[in-house]
Amino acid sequence: MSGGNIAITGVPTTPGAGGSVPIRREIRDLQRNFPDQFNLYVLGLQNLQSLDESQLQSYYQIAGIHGQPFKPWNGVTSSTDWRTSSGFGGYCTHSSILFVSWHRPYLALYEQALYKSVQTVAQKFPAGPLRDKYVAAAKDFRAPYFDWASQPPAGSTAFPSAISQSFILVVDVDGATKTIANPINRFAFHPVNPAAGDFNANWSRFPQTVRYPDRAGKSQDSRIAPILANELASLRSNVSLLLLSYTNFDAFSFNRWDPNTSPGAFGSLEDIHNEIHDRVGGGGHMSALEVSAFDPIFWMHHINVDRMWAIWQDLNPTSFMSPRPAPSSTFNASRGATQDQNTPLSPFWDKSGSKFWTSAQVKDSAATFGYAYPETQKWNFPSTQAYQASLRQTVISLYGSNVFRNFLANIATREVSSAAPSVAAATAGIAALGLAGPIPENTEETKPAAAAAPAAAAPAQKKLASETKPETKPATEDKSPIPASLAHLAPNNEYTEWLVLVRAQKHGIGQSFRVQVFLGDIDESAPETWDTEWNSVGRVSVLGRAPETQCGKCVADTAEGLMVSGTVPLTSALLQDIVAHKLASLEPKDVLPHLKADLRWKVRLFTGEERAVTDVPELRVSVASTKVKIGADGLPVYSGQYTVHPEATEGKPAGLRAGDHI
């Protein structure tokens, strides 16, 4: 360390056999299978959140690096050409080539602070076997992630109860079992009103972080699971598409659009990342980049984003960022200066404390910061080829092998709203195919004793348990690449994949918004139900900022008219209409008239308020298709050639017209 600079080291680690390092685990896996580490995670996070907010390695200060209070962290100030009228412009790298790499040392800083708190807590247990048990569990502790795209375990919800419940049962440091306020659920500001000027008026009114706040400012976490579940098909398809078909780092990693963007590169990991901020936040802290890092789920979300990058990296080890001129002045570079893998990732000092980390230096998470993920334990494989084959199979098992298998896992098992259009036809079609019935979304997680809900919640839990219906399964399991009941839709194992492409000015309406895509009628009188309607296909979420934002990069991006893009996979929704006998095939001759008649989209703010589609500058919604071959292993092989179909959107507000550039 040099001159008081805080070195970002992650957790100091001595690699084991073959280079093995400890694992960052999924929150439900940690809770269920590593209960001692889960208990330490809860207590360690509570301890970290309790630190004085003036300490640079406190939860408050680390979260504040991401946006508000827009104060330099660890003395790292920005250049004068990036300041806003209010002063310091922050460290934003969103919609930037540095998006995923900047967040990696940021997460390492959080993890090293959390690890320190976990060690402190472990040493507080009474001397003897109890302390020994927790000290041993603390040794290999790493921060967990929330995999929002995998199918929830049977009987569980799409939003884990460990995150959503307000109180949680722990074994405290005195050895007694207690109910405490759940630090995974919320962060309580202390003092309730932080230092003057730390937050703007919109956020200073909240004494703690919130999700889907009601009019009284209280969280409504119960709204999150149904929304995540309803659009899970789109989300899983997007993740599979990115991990299995994108081979260019720039296209994979960030969402900046330019006129050279091809139809096959509209999606990105950043686009998916934005959707989770939207789905989980609902107008609360996670919805706004300026304050999202104060919500404890931010860290689990971003660690999962880092995990997605780690998996993709090892499937595409030779692909990395291309040097490009910075399109606007940022903290890291002035407009026109080259941004590349050697651009400093301010304000994160490397292990020497004398210079900043660069993207090139943080590519290897195990060697640099001492962690891996369950899927990236490459030391367990005899060769790179065997390791990559395992990674692909893991993607299949977690996110589905192809759209037909995904359809059975997602659409055929999701909860159906009784008010949704065409439910009778859809469920009848599903039943005719012999598919599983819907899994209720209101069941509780199976939790170890150390994570049970408090006694006060017991009556409600019993009620939910009594409402739970057993999961039904097909009598026989079809292991062919494409299920026999759907094979006619892919002659010779080939079919047409469909995507909705969206682009718009990021800051065009001065706040965050979503473009929500529907296939079928919309209940115009009840926008509050749109997120859970049967025909809601998916969304592209745009994290825009207000004109008065303190984010200097955002001010520059607004002046430049920054455009971003995203995708909504459409094929699962088309399969839904096929089994409902509303559509004959996936071929253009059938799909295009169907889309022209039934494809719709709405623009809504993250708070749920609808805005006119025409209010969003340069919004264009288009449809593209590509040919896909399903291999014997079930993996989709994308042709890479995309056809744009303006006839599907022409004549609709913001729809692409013939002759328009996508």
Side-chain angles (χ1 to χ4, degrees):
M1 188 180 296
S2 174
N5 297 331
I6 296 174
I8 313 304
T9 61
V11 179
T13 305
T14 301
S20 64
V21 294
I23 306 300
R24 287 178 172 175
R25 302 190 183 279
E26 211 275 338
I27 182 67
R28 289 163 288 201
D29 177 38
L30 187 73
Q31 182 182 15
R32 185 174 292 113
N33 300 316
F34 302 87
D36 294 341
Q37 286 194 344
F38 180 80
N39 195 68
L40 287 171
Y41 168 53
V42 175
L43 294 177
L45 185 58
Q46 180 192 52
N47 181 72
L48 179 62
Q49 291 180 357
S50 72
L51 295 181
D52 189 289
E53 294 178 353
S54 64
Q55 295 184 32
L56 283 177
Q57 295 190 68
S58 67
Y59 185 92
Y60 181 85
Q61 287 277 341
I62 293 172
I65 293 171
H66 202 256
Q68 289 185 26
F70 287 103
K71 294 179 180 179
W73 183 78
N74 199 21
V76 181
T77 58
S78 57
S79 58
T80 55
D81 66 350
W82 196 46
R83 290 177 180 270
T84 64
S85 58
S86 58
F88 176 71
Y91 305 105
C92 177
T93 58
H94 299 93
S95 302
S96 156
I97 198 170
L98 306 176
F99 168 68
V100 293
S101 57
W102 182 88
H103 281 84
R104 181 163 282 179
Y106 187 32
L107 296 171
L109 169 62
Y110 164 75
E111 187 168 57
Q112 75 188 54
L114 178 60
Y115 181 85
K116 182 179 178 181
S117 278
V118 164
Q119 306 311 305
T120 298
V121 165
Q123 292 292 340
K124 289 182 178 180
F125 282 89
L130 192 62
R131 181 189 294 176
D132 293 344
K133 179 178 77 164
Y134 282 111
V135 167
K139 181 180 178 182
D140 288 338
F141 173 83
R142 294 296 185 273
Y145 62 91
F146 166 39
D147 186 1
W148 22 255
S150 62
Q151 197 70 250
S156 67
T157 63
F159 193 57
S161 60
I163 306 173
S164 64
Q165 61 192 23
S166 299
F167 295 90
I168 197 163
L169 207 64
V170 296
V171 179
D172 208 348
V173 293
D174 60 1
T177 301
K178 301 176 182 177
T179 296
I180 65 171
N182 185 3
I184 312 175
N185 176 255
R186 61 190 181 275
F187 169 63
F189 296 99
H190 53 91
V192 171
N193 295 308
D198 273 13
F199 295 105
N200 62 27
N202 183 57
W203 299 110
S204 61
R205 62 192 176 98
F206 291 105
Q208 59 191 24
T209 56
V210 293
R211 304 167 191 147
Y212 286 86
D214 61 16
R215 291 184 177 181
K218 295 181 179 179
S219 282
Q220 302 179 88
D221 284 61
S222 61
R223 295 185 59 182
I224 300 173
I227 291 171
L228 285 174
N230 196 51
E231 296 180 9
L232 189 60
S234 170
L235 186 60
R236 285 164 60 84
S237 295
N238 247 342
V239 169
S240 293
L241 183 72
L242 277 174
L243 294 179
L244 297 176
S245 74
Y246 278 52
T247 58
N248 177 273
F249 173 88
D250 295 0
F252 166 83
S253 63
F254 71 109
N255 68 352
R256 181 182 291 269
W257 177 93
D258 64 46
N260 296 316
T261 301
S262 69
F266 263 60
S268 66
L269 185 57
E270 185 175 11
D271 172 40
I272 294 175
H273 147 274
N274 292 351
E275 292 180 28
I276 302 304
H277 275 277
D278 176 11
R279 288 186 177 106
V280 171
H285 287 75
M286 266 292 281
S287 300
L289 291 180
E290 290 99 329
V291 294
S292 58
F294 291 99
D295 188 328
I297 199 177
F298 171 93
W299 306 100
M300 286 183 281
H301 166 44
H302 267 276
I303 290 173
N304 195 44
V305 171
D306 183 79
R307 168 178 162 269
M308 298 285 185
W309 178 33
I311 292 171
W312 186 90
Q313 278 183 290
D314 288 349
L315 289 174
N316 302 274
T318 62
S319 181
F320 203 40
M321 61 182 66
S322 306
R324 60 177 59 207
S328 60
S329 293
T330 71
F331 184 91
N332 306 86
S334 298
R335 180 183 179 188
T338 298
Q339 283 187 321
D340 59 21
Q341 63 179 351
N342 298 313
T343 299
L345 301 177
S346 311
F348 306 123
W349 299 100
D350 68 7
K351 293 179 181 180
S352 72
S354 60
K355 56 184 182 298
F356 297 116
W357 285 108
T358 67
S359 300
Q361 293 172 322
V362 303
K363 287 175 66 177
D364 189 333
S365 67
T368 307
F369 295 125
Y371 69 86
Y373 294 101
E375 302 82 8
T376 63
Q377 300 177 65
K378 62 183 70 177
W379 55 85
N380 289 329
F381 298 89
S383 66
T384 299
Q385 183 178 14
Y387 170 55
Q388 290 181 330
S390 173
L391 269 184
R392 291 188 180 93
Q393 290 301 319
T394 297
V395 172
I396 289 175
S397 65
L398 287 173
Y399 308 117
S401 57
N402 58 64
V403 71
F404 301 100
R405 286 288 174 195
N406 280 358
F407 174 73
L408 300 194
N410 297 327
I411 301 299
T413 59
R414 82 180 184 186
E415 186 71 35
V416 180
S417 167
S418 60
S422 304
V423 169
T427 52
I430 288 171
L433 291 175
L435 307 180
I439 295 174
E441 274 297 317
N442 61 352
T443 55
E444 270 296 303
E445 310 281 11
T446 301
K447 301 181 289 294
Q461 289 172 0
K462 289 180 180 178
K463 181 176 185 293
L464 292 176
S466 70
E467 295 170 355
T468 301
K469 296 172 287 185
E471 178 184 355
T472 58
K473 296 181 179 180
T476 58
E477 184 178 3
D478 182 356
K479 295 184 178 180
S480 57
I482 301 176
S485 56
L486 300 174
H488 65 285
L489 299 173
N492 301 315
N493 285 358
E494 292 185 344
Y495 75 98
T496 305
E497 180 84 22
W498 295 86
L499 292 168
V500 174
L501 311 179
V502 176
R503 65 170 171 90
Q505 274 195 28
K506 180 174 182 178
H507 306 292
I509 62 173
Q511 56 189 306
S512 294
F513 63 93
R514 70 181 70 110
V515 180
Q516 193 163 354
V517 176
F518 301 85
L519 193 56
D521 294 332
I522 303 171
D523 185 351
E524 300 283 355
S525 67
E528 67 276 6
T529 69
W530 291 352
D531 289 328
T532 52
E533 282 195 3
W534 176 257
N535 61 343
S536 175
V537 180
R539 68 186 69 192
V540 172
S541 302
V542 181
L543 301 181
R545 308 288 182 93
E548 63 272 15
T549 180
Q550 293 172 270
C551 171
K553 178 180 181 296
C554 304
V555 171
D557 286 342
T558 301
E560 295 292 329
L562 168 68
M563 299 282 291
V564 295
S565 67
T567 59
V568 176
L570 198 54
T571 312
S572 284
L574 294 172
L575 290 174
Q576 179 176 296
D577 283 354
I578 287 172
V579 302
H581 307 295
K582 296 173 62 179
L583 179 65
S585 78
L586 292 174
E587 293 306 304
K589 65 181 179 61
D590 295 316
V591 171
L592 289 174
H594 187 61
L595 295 181
K596 187 172 181 61
D598 283 350
L599 183 66
R600 296 168 173 82
W601 51 89
K602 293 283 191 179
V603 170
R604 301 172 69 200
L605 306 181
F606 282 9
T607 55
E609 176 189 342
E610 185 181 0
R611 291 289 295 268
V613 170
T614 51
D615 284 353
V616 182
E618 298 188 71
L619 173 63
R620 284 291 179 273
V621 179
S622 56
V623 169
S625 67
T626 186
K627 287 293 185 180
V628 180
K629 174 80 172 180
I630 304 296
D633 57 0
L635 278 172
V637 179
Y638 296 86
S639 69
Q641 302 298 313
Y642 286 79
T643 302
V644 179
H645 302 279
E647 61 268 41
T649 55
E650 191 161 16
K652 301 178 182 182
L656 190 78
R657 301 164 297 186
D660 284 352
H661 193 292
I662 62 164

